Amino acid sequence: MSHARATHLTRRGLLAAGGALGLGAALAACGDDKGKDGGSGGSAGTGKSGPWSFKDDRGTTVKLDKVPANIVAFTGVGAALYDYGIQVKGVFGPTKTSDGKPDVQAGDMDISKVTILGNAWGQFNIEKYASLAPDVLITTIFDDAGTLWYVPDESKKKIGQLAPSVGISVYDRQLTQPLQRMWDLAESLGADMKAAKVTAAKKRFEDAAARLRAAAKAKPDIKVLAGSASDQLFYVSGSNLSIDLEYFKSLGVNLVEPPESAKKQGGGWYESLSWENVDKYDADIIMMDDRSQAIQPADITKATWKKLPAVKAGQVIPRSPEPILSYDKCVPLLTNLAEALEKAKKVS
């Protein structure tokens, strides 16, 4: 496996930023480039008219004569906007699994109603993108350089000439910040932020956060490890940089934290362990990367994994390193961990 340049390690090597990157990290480091009710009929949803502007997290202000109607977005961003009643025209990023079902990052979007410009890292069909006559491209940012997530480096200039872009940062901050930014963006696009389902979801999120805080306070000795699995390596995420883990830590969750020196090869996000050393850190609960590029717990056959105390105790839960940034989709992230803490036994 060749050494990736620093920029690639931050972006491609972090194909999952969230810390533990699983298969995505391994592929990236090797340079491998290869719904339901709630959506609105139109892209902007509510018929909001007049000039539109939005200042993104790069400090860039996009100004248009009218509210964008033809929106193209990273899949997870499209899923978040969908929850707020905004239907995008095209998406790029993990959208459809090998069996044709919606990827976990597609949320509740009806993927048959969007044009998929690329379904994997390095894929972005510029001709299809142009045919959509895009008004704006929206994606996330996983570094401090403002790099647009899943927009290929080699074609970013051509893509950038077709429409302005908006970037929402999910780098080195707590989950509540990008959640609010996505809320602001959806509102600017014409979403009804006073709709009952929207306000109810935000209330559920606040209640779930309170529940997690209480659970963490009641079980301060329970250690929680965030992991991701690939065939050759097991990745342990650090709590810094990742929006979900930084937020969990702020609520009092006792997260396993690899030393900075161990995370250096992972750009500060994660430590890579061989499966022989998967027991390096004591953990009572293990949160495992739920994205399609990572091997899921039920499919891990390594004997060393099966011997881990948390695994033997059945204290393994899913984690979403790239959360869909709507309150509705982030509620389970909190409730799953709160429930696991409430039920957890000290096994490490």
Side-chain angles (χ1 to χ4, degrees):
M1 184 175 291
S2 62
H3 292 289
R5 290 182 299 154
T7 52
H8 284 179
L9 192 51
T10 301
R11 185 163 183 264
R12 300 166 75 173
L14 298 181
L15 193 89
L21 307 203
L23 185 59
L27 291 176
C30 289
D32 188 332
D33 269 349
K34 290 189 176 182
K36 300 177 182 177
D37 293 340
S40 63
S43 293
T46 64
K48 185 177 179 181
S49 60
W52 180 82
S53 69
F54 188 83
K55 185 176 182 179
D56 76 358
D57 291 336
R58 299 169 297 178
T60 300
T61 299
V62 176
K63 296 182 178 180
L64 299 174
D65 293 337
K66 60 179 181 178
V67 176
N70 296 340
I71 301 170
V72 172
F74 173 69
T75 302
V77 171
L81 292 175
Y82 182 88
D83 285 350
Y84 291 129
I86 304 294
Q87 176 69 55
V88 303
K89 292 291 181 68
V91 294
F92 54 95
T95 307
K96 183 186 294 186
T97 61
S98 57
D99 58 3
K101 295 179 180 179
D103 188 274
V104 64
Q105 295 193 64
D108 289 337
M109 277 195 303
D110 183 345
I111 62 173
S112 70
K113 293 183 178 179
V114 293
T115 298
I116 300 174
L117 305 177
N119 197 55
W121 187 262
Q123 296 179 357
F124 194 110
N125 190 314
I126 298 177
E127 290 72 25
K128 277 188 179 181
Y129 179 53
S131 73
L132 294 175
D135 293 322
V136 68
L137 178 150
I138 308 173
T139 186
T140 46
I141 296 170
F142 278 99
D143 59 23
D144 56 7
T147 307
L148 298 176
W149 193 234
Y150 266 79
V151 174
D153 287 337
E154 60 273 17
S155 53
K156 64 182 180 182
K157 186 174 181 180
K158 287 183 179 179
I159 293 168
Q161 291 171 341
L162 292 169
S165 59
V166 167
I168 300 297
S169 180
V170 288
Y171 175 75
D172 195 17
R173 60 202 62 203
Q174 294 180 20
L175 177 61
T176 46
Q177 291 175 266
L179 269 173
Q180 183 60 49
R181 292 293 285 150
M182 190 63 70
W183 175 287
D184 294 341
L185 176 61
E187 186 172 36
S188 80
L189 293 169
D192 180 5
M193 310 314 284
K194 293 182 180 179
K197 64 174 291 186
V198 173
T199 56
K202 189 171 185 180
K203 179 63 165 57
R204 289 200 310 275
F205 179 88
E206 292 166 351
D207 291 345
R211 178 182 175 184
L212 179 54
R213 186 188 296 276
K217 186 176 181 179
K219 299 278 188 75
D221 60 333
I222 296 295
K223 296 180 180 179
V224 180
L225 181 147
S228 184
S230 71
D231 184 56
Q232 299 297 322
L233 295 169
F234 183 82
Y235 305 92
V236 179
S237 291
S239 61
N240 295 326
L241 306 184
S242 300
I243 56 173
D244 61 329
L245 301 184
E246 285 203 11
Y247 187 52
F248 297 159
K249 183 168 62 175
S250 77
L251 295 175
V253 176
N254 183 3
L255 291 163
V256 171
E257 183 69 53
E260 290 303 316
S261 58
K263 295 185 292 181
K264 192 171 182 180
Q265 280 194 321
W269 293 88
Y270 61 92
E271 178 181 2
S272 304
L273 298 175
S274 67
W275 282 102
E276 288 73 21
N277 295 317
V278 73
D279 61 352
K280 179 177 179 179
Y281 297 105
D282 291 335
D284 303 294
I285 295 173
I286 300 176
M287 296 190 294
M288 289 295 290
D289 188 342
D290 69 355
R291 291 165 307 160
S292 53
Q293 67 258 35
I295 298 176
Q296 297 306 300
D299 299 319
I300 299 175
T301 58
K302 309 290 185 182
T304 49
W305 163 260
K306 294 181 178 181
K307 291 179 181 177
L308 293 176
V311 175
K312 292 171 70 175
Q315 295 178 173
V316 178
I317 64 172
R319 175 196 171 212
S320 300
E322 292 184 65
I324 293 172
L325 296 172
S326 71
Y327 286 101
D328 179 71
K329 294 300 178 291
C330 287
V331 169
L333 311 185
L334 305 181
T335 54
N336 288 347
L337 181 52
E339 183 178 5
L341 280 169
E342 290 162 357
K343 295 180 177 179
K345 295 178 182 179
K346 183 68 178 174
V347 295
S348 66

